[in-house]
Amino acid sequence: MATVRDLDDHEVEIWLASVDQFSRANNSILQPEEIAKARRFAFERDRGRYLATRVFVRQILTRYAETAPAAWRFKLNDHDRPFIDAPAPSAPLFFNLSHAGDYLVCSVARTERVGVDIENHVPDEPLDIAERFFSAKERAWLATVGGKAELARRFLTLWTLKESYIKALSVGLSHPLNAFSLLPTVNNQAKLEIHVESDIAADPWTCRSLVAPADYAMAVSVAHPKEHLPTITQLKFEPDR
């Protein structure tokens, strides 16, 4: 087994992969229920992406623990977020997954409150979607653009930031998307503003747009102690064969 990667309490590592990297993946590392679920997808593309995601997360987690890819067992929390059920790593280990189009992304950290998101679909009327789900400040930021391409870029930037934050909270859409603002600042950072009474706001957060493939946007959000900013690293994924 390969050397286990070092990961301290304040590090978040982000792995990006393409679905095509798993076209010859070894699906024998998956559990029977995962194979059965894949067979229920009506379209081959969806089936292939689901299988790729399952192989992806197993191969990623094995880089952080002396556990074979086939040995991982998962459960879902009350908001359908998967977490490691067994075997228990020697140190806390949490992951978050997202996929869109041809890409998969997985974050790995020692803290649970990390969310990652990737998107490439822009609705036909992004301002209509923004009116329903974005805060007034976010809508104002969108309204300052003049061209369709820039509007699409800004929409995806905001959408991935907001989704990554909601995923980090692990509460699903029970936390309204317009109850907070994530306003881009500099160096791909975003300023979080909470507009409703919530004890969640007491924690410092780092929310950041990530380097994404062309026509995609990607973001990560992580809660952390005041005295420790997280170190966020993007890594190139090469699958095991």
Side-chain angles (χ1 to χ4, degrees):
M1 189 172 293
T3 303
V4 173
R5 292 183 63 84
D6 289 329
L7 187 70
D8 72 27
D9 292 346
H10 311 297
E11 287 184 294
V12 179
E13 296 193 333
I14 311 289
W15 297 86
L16 179 70
S18 70
V19 175
D20 288 345
Q21 288 180 280
F22 298 91
S23 60
R24 297 189 182 91
N26 180 10
N27 291 337
S28 66
I29 67 174
L30 301 182
Q31 291 298 299
E33 60 269 23
E34 292 173 311
I35 299 295
K37 182 174 179 178
R39 289 172 178 157
R40 293 196 291 271
F41 285 97
F43 299 103
E44 180 64 32
R45 177 183 175 84
D46 295 334
R47 183 161 49 251
R49 184 162 51 197
Y50 172 78
L51 290 171
T53 301
R54 307 317 299 167
V55 172
F56 179 46
V57 70
R58 288 173 177 278
Q59 291 189 1
I60 288 292
L61 292 177
T62 292
R63 301 178 186 208
Y64 297 88
E66 293 182 350
T67 301
W72 295 105
R73 300 291 185 272
F74 307 101
K75 285 186 176 180
L76 300 177
N77 71 7
D78 292 341
H79 298 281
D80 292 331
R81 175 171 173 161
F83 63 91
I84 297 169
D85 181 47
S90 57
L93 189 63
F94 298 95
F95 69 94
N96 193 231
L97 287 164
S98 182
H99 61 78
D102 298 323
Y103 289 94
L104 316 170
V105 63
C106 180
S107 66
V108 184
R110 299 295 183 195
T111 177
E112 184 175 12
R113 296 176 75 181
V114 177
V116 69
D117 190 56
I118 184 170
E119 303 287 347
N120 70 327
H121 174 69
V122 179
D124 292 336
E125 300 294 338
L127 293 179
D128 289 348
I129 300 299
E131 189 68 31
R132 293 177 57 197
F133 297 109
F134 290 3
S135 72
K137 288 186 176 182
E138 290 166 336
R139 296 196 303 271
W141 185 71
L142 279 180
T144 61
V145 302
K148 187 175 181 180
E150 178 63 10
L151 176 62
R153 187 190 70 79
R154 288 198 176 197
F155 178 88
L156 287 179
T157 295
L158 286 178
W159 191 261
T160 52
L161 284 166
K162 293 176 79 68
E163 282 285 335
S164 70
Y165 175 66
I166 287 291
K167 292 176 73 177
L169 293 179
S170 197
V171 295
L173 292 179
S174 62
H175 193 75
L177 286 172
N178 59 4
F180 62 95
S181 297
L182 274 164
L183 301 171
T185 55
V186 295
N187 297 326
N188 296 321
Q189 298 286 92
K191 179 183 178 183
L192 173 64
E193 295 182 0
I194 306 294
H195 306 308
V196 296
E197 190 70 27
S198 172
D199 58 357
I200 292 170
D203 296 323
W205 285 85
T206 290
C207 303
R208 181 182 301 173
S209 293
L210 301 167
V211 177
D215 300 322
Y216 287 74
M218 193 162 67
V220 63
S221 293
V222 52
H224 54 86
K226 286 184 178 180
E227 64 273 18
H228 287 292
L229 289 174
T231 299
I232 299 170
T233 305
Q234 290 186 242
L235 296 164
K236 181 180 179 181
F237 178 76
E238 293 297 338
D240 303 330
R241 297 298 185 185

